[in-house]
Structure formats: structure tokens, C-alpha cells
Amino acid sequence: MSYGGYGGGFAPPGGGNRAPPPGADPQLWSWFNTVDTDRSGAITATELERALINGDWTPFDLDTVKLLMSIFDTDRSGTIGFNEFSGLWKYIKDWQNVFKHFDRDHSGSIDGQELRDALAQFGYNLSPPLLDLVQKKYANQTVGHGAPVPGISFDRFVRACVVVKQLSEAFGKIDTDRDGWIQINYDQFMHTVLSLP
Amino acid sequence: MSYGGYGGGFAPPGGGNRAPPPGADPQLWSWFNTVDTDRSGAITATELERALINGDWTPFDLDTVKLLMSIFDTDRSGTIGFNEFSGLWKYIKDWQNVFKHFDRDHSGSIDGQELRDALAQFGYNLSPPLLDLVQKKYANQTVGHGAPVPGISFDRFVRACVVVKQLSEAFGKIDTDRDGWIQINYDQFMHTVLSLP
């Protein structure tokens, strides 16, 4: 085997020679250990951002990384262990398939029409002005002083979908009679919005 | 003069020898140019984060930097020029005085009681559970694997106050009869929340 975690041979960069848990993907274990430089067994959002550079996708925005952390850091420790990392990795891989499916023109980014189709498939039929707002909010901003990247890149597509889902669920929890209208006071409004990651 | 922007003498690091605009603070102009490495005259959120390290405060979280950008980048270009940067710098200095005023025990961070006093002074009398939520959301998280910093640091205090202000204003816009209750549909709810920076 090419991965030498078991006491000999090739040591992955920064990974040392800790044995991976039974059934662990050796490459994933190696990546996890590469970013977990202090060998604490847990990685932070900033470290996760570094780990995600190893995937078959464009780099992840720290905001997206934090959103993912908030989903997988179930004990709210601020860090995720290897098992959570594995779950998160699979989650991202699944999203990658979704992204490829909806990126019909294979441009590597999602345009307004493709976003509408994706959200509709997930059961969110947003009004055209709302779709426009989501599209603008998550479209890639100018990076450095280069030209803006058109459309929504992979990581921001994940974020857009997750945010729409979380907001819709928050609304749905209050809209108990399912008529599409809610009556809330200031305190409830603030609670609802501030409780989102 | 110690600043040699006018064609000779000492060149500030990275600042080159461009002349500052009339009336500009030379040190601020030097900092601005240090981070504006490509001399475009405009800096991005990531560059602003680097500029803010020069202040008399703890480093700013990128999320806080982006929130500040959203306030001062009035033309939504994704960057801020020197004049906007000067305004932002003054804004932060003003916040620093507010922070020092409410940090009664001079601990360098704001605790729950101090946060309540600050928000009340700004006219936001939040309920105890809501205050608790804000306090927890903006309390400093574990940095790396060290012990969590207790309380709310300067940059996160600014963020907490600005977010409470923006949310309260968003609610107030809908609550036209000022009774503290709003009735909104799904589309309005999504619009309200997604329009926030």
C-alpha cells in the first residue's frame, strides 16, 4: 500500500504515523492529519478551509466553511474530529454531483436559470425577484482586482442552497397553519434570524 | 516631514511615491498604500483585513471586515477607495471609544452585563434570552486549539451592535404601525433576511 501510516515507510506531510481508524479512507485520513498539525484530533474552521483545498473543486470561502462546520460540529465544540470530517467530505462530494448535474453548460459555475432549476428541484419555488436576490448575493465577487467570475462557483452554490433551506425551515417552523404567512413580534424575529449560523 | 511621498526621501513599505490626496492623514495614506499592492487605488475585504492589523486593537475577523465593507462600499464595487477607507477608519476609532466606555472592568472584552448596557444605550432593550443569544453568538470562539477567550472582543462587539441595529431597522421598516408585531409572507421574510449583509 502506498500510505505508510502503520509505523513505517512513507509518512504523509504533517500526518505523522498515527494509525487511521478502522475503515477510514487512507487518503482522507492523511489530509485530515496534514491540517491537524498539533495532532489534537480535531480541526478548526480555518484548518478545514485548508483541508478543502485538496478537493476536485475551487477553494472554499471561509463563510461557506463555517456554515459547513455549523452543520457537522454537532457538539458545538468549534472543531470537528475525523468522523465528522469524513461525513462532511461525503456531503461535499454529494453536493459536487448536484452541482455537475445542474451546471448544464459545464461552465464550472451556476447561472440564474440553473440556480432556479436546482432550488425548484429541492422544493423551493422562489419568486423571480427573490431568485435574483439570491443569485446576486452568492454570485462570485471580484477576487483581488481581477475581473469578476460570472455566476456562482461550487462552494457558494452549496452555501446558497443551504441558506435557502435553513431560512425556509425557520419560516416553516413558525408558519404552523402552512398558509405562507407568519405573525411574529420583534423578539421572535430577532431570535429566528440570530439563531441561524 | 517624515513621510516622503512627494517624490523623494523615505518611501513607505509598498506605498511607492504616490502623493496623498489633500488633507489626507499621511500615516493612513501609507497604510492604505501598503495593502493596495497593485496600486489600483482600491482595496478588497481581504486587503482591508490586513490593513486593520495596524490599529490599536485585536485582529478583525473577516466576517466583521466584510460587514464594514458593506457599510462603506457604497457603490457595491466590492472594494473601497482611500476616502471610504478614511471614513471607515474614523468609524472604527469611534467604536473603539464606545468599546472602552462599556468595558467597565478594562478586561479588553465585553461581558453579558456590559453588552446589555451598550445595547440599551443605543436604544435596543433586548429580552434576557435574546441578549443571551447575542452574547453567545458573538463571544469569541476557540482560536486554534487554545482556551476560548471569554467575552466579546472589540471587532465582534462592533459586529454584534451593527447586526442588532440592521435587524431592528429591517423589522421596523415592516412594523409600520409600531406595535412590535409584523405579519409577513414567505417571500417578504426571505427578502428581509437575505438583503442583510
Side-chain angles (χ1 to χ4, degrees), chain B residues 34-55:
Chain B
T34 300
V35 291
D36 179 27
T37 45
D38 65 354
R39 317 285 182 84
S40 65
I43 61 177
T44 61
T46 317
E47 288 174 338
L48 178 61
E49 191 185 16
R50 225 152 65 214
L52 291 176
I53 291 173
N54 286 300

Side-chain angles (χ1 to χ4, degrees), chain B residues 151-168:
Chain B
I152 303 178
S153 62
F154 173 56
D155 73 308
R156 295 179 73 88
F157 170 71
V158 175
R159 191 148 119 233
C161 294
V162 172
V163 166
V164 166
K165 176 175 177 281
Q166 289 178 336
L167 285 177
S168 301

Side-chain angles (χ1 to χ4, degrees), chain B residues 16 47 67 79 161 195:
Chain B
E47 288 174 338
L67 186 64
T79 60
C161 294
S195 298

